[in-house]
Amino acid sequence: MGFSGAVLDVDGTVVRGNDPIPGAPAGYRRLREAGIETLFVSNNPTKAPPAYVDRLGAAGYDVDADSVFTAGTVTTRYLREHHADDDLLCIGEAGLLEQFADAGLSTTDDVGAADALVASIDREFDYEDLCTALWALDRDIPFIGTDPDVVIPAPERDVPGSGAVINAVAGVAEREPDAVLGKPSDTAIEMVRERLPYPPEECLVVGDRLNTDVALGERAGMTTVLVRSGVTDEDRIAAADVTPDYVLDDLGDIDRVVG
């Protein structure tokens, strides 16, 4: 089968921290040489696409801002479509709030005035934030998460991600989020289809997570490729409800799929 487009995860698939994963740059070049259009999609909500141009460029990947979007991008789009006029109470980092501000979204620190709560990764998340979230959700306002990643790859070892914060808030409020964005949400799939306007059977999704990358590809009707270079090991593969079409050690083995 010939492929026209490929969705590539970032952390755990092409880089770990700022360093390229061994073999991945060669795999990326192989995709480009095969004439396959690539789209990087990250579940990191804290950085806008332009930040990835420098980060990925330094790691050996030639990209531009139009070929990247993130959980921050997806969340911003969802909020503009569903909560454009709302005051948003946000548990998240400065980079996420900057994206909201750039999109004209309004944020507030006032628990009593908030129209919706947005929860995301926050490396300074503490008990006071948990109280704030509880009191806001006591008012039965919408509860939105940026992405489901409970842990994320870091240079030394995995660390907690947005999903950990969202789950903590959900636990104390005794309610699930009304929406969790990023991969594999409907909004993310819509954005992938807009950026890669090819038939689903001509598209690959390559990533290191079953519940986000592989799930997105499966829901979108695309060929799914799981790489073992990130957070998923053989035990998780065996126990998973979703089954990737291919399992590779890393992106450098992509010839097994497109060769």
Side-chain angles (χ1 to χ4, degrees):
M1 177 185 293
F3 293 102
S4 302
V7 177
L8 301 178
D9 176 50
V10 177
D11 294 288
T13 301
V14 299
V15 292
R16 181 173 280 274
N18 291 321
D19 297 324
I21 287 173
Y28 174 68
R29 290 192 296 271
R30 175 70 182 90
L31 290 170
R32 299 297 297 273
E33 289 165 0
I36 297 172
E37 184 178 354
T38 54
L39 175 65
F40 289 92
V41 181
S42 171
N43 260 5
N44 181 346
T46 67
K47 298 184 184 301
Y52 281 83
V53 175
D54 293 336
R55 182 186 175 202
L56 292 173
Y61 304 95
D62 182 19
V63 302
D64 57 47
D66 289 336
S67 62
V68 182
F69 70 80
T70 72
T73 320
V74 179
T75 303
T76 299
R77 172 164 167 163
Y78 176 88
L79 292 171
R80 289 187 67 182
E81 290 176 349
H82 298 279
H83 299 279
D85 298 323
D86 288 348
D87 288 328
L88 308 169
L89 180 64
C90 300
I91 296 174
E93 299 193 346
L96 179 65
L97 271 67
E98 288 169 6
Q99 294 173 71
F100 292 170
D102 289 344
L105 295 168
S106 175
T107 58
T108 181
D109 294 325
D110 186 344
V111 170
D115 298 306
L117 173 73
V118 181
S120 182
I121 186 173
D122 185 348
R123 291 168 180 84
E124 297 182 354
F125 180 71
D126 60 16
Y127 187 79
E128 183 176 346
D129 291 320
L130 206 52
C131 291
T132 298
L134 173 62
W135 299 332
L137 294 178
D138 275 346
R139 298 176 44 243
D140 201 29
I141 62 175
F143 172 21
I144 299 140
T146 57
D147 64 278
D149 291 10
V150 176
V151 297
I152 53 176
E156 299 299 326
R157 60 180 65 183
D158 295 343
V159 297
S162 297
V165 174
I166 295 165
N167 290 347
V169 171
V172 73
E174 298 185 323
R175 60 175 282 195
E176 293 301 309
D178 297 287
V180 178
L181 285 309
K183 298 174 286 188
S185 69
D186 289 344
T187 305
I189 291 172
E190 289 172 7
M191 294 178 70
V192 165
R193 287 174 170 157
E194 290 170 3
R195 304 287 183 95
L196 296 177
Y198 309 109
E201 60 270 19
E202 293 182 17
C203 294
L204 297 168
V205 178
V206 186
D208 69 314
R209 292 178 182 271
L210 291 157
N211 68 327
T212 58
D213 304 310
V214 173
L216 180 142
E218 189 175 83
R219 292 184 62 207
M222 299 175 179
T223 298
T224 57
V225 182
L226 180 78
V227 290
R228 298 189 187 94
S229 53
V231 300
T232 303
D233 57 21
E234 291 296 335
D235 290 340
R236 290 180 179 176
I237 295 171
D241 293 331
V242 295
T243 303
D245 296 307
Y246 296 88
V247 178
L248 308 178
D249 285 337
D250 55 63
L251 186 61
D253 293 332
I254 198 65
D255 258 336
R256 284 181 46 197
V257 182
V258 301

